[in-house]
Amino acid sequence: MSSVPETAHTQDIVEVGAEDLPVYCPGPKAPLWCQHPRIYIEVVKSQVARCQYCGTRYALREDAKVHGH
């Protein structure tokens, strides 16, 4: 058994709703140790998207009602 540190590949998907738009990473609750430049994540068109810096995956909840899209 290897001791592989937890990475973005083993993290759960962060589910977001319409009230969380626009989605950005790192989010407002991210600890200081994992900060990187803020980028906006496009989840409305693709439903699931990954942060290019840390690999965190974000998904738009199925029940999210996004107006204008």
Side-chain angles (χ1 to χ4, degrees):
M1 179 166 32
S2 65
S3 59
V4 177
E6 183 174 311
T7 64
H9 299 292
T10 60
Q11 292 176 352
D12 291 330
I13 293 177
V14 177
E15 288 191 330
V16 296
E19 69 278 2
D20 300 312
L21 298 176
V23 176
Y24 56 88
C25 190
K29 296 178 183 177
L32 288 177
W33 62 265
C34 70
Q35 297 294 310
H36 56 67
R38 179 180 288 185
I39 64 165
Y40 289 88
I41 309 294
E42 174 55 64
V43 295
V44 174
K45 293 179 184 173
S46 62
Q47 302 300 307
V48 177
R50 184 182 299 269
C51 173
Q52 66 184 10
Y53 284 102
C54 67
T56 300
R57 294 177 294 164
Y58 294 87
L60 190 61
R61 285 194 310 262
E62 289 184 26
D63 65 344
K65 295 189 181 358
V66 181
H67 300 287
H69 292 277

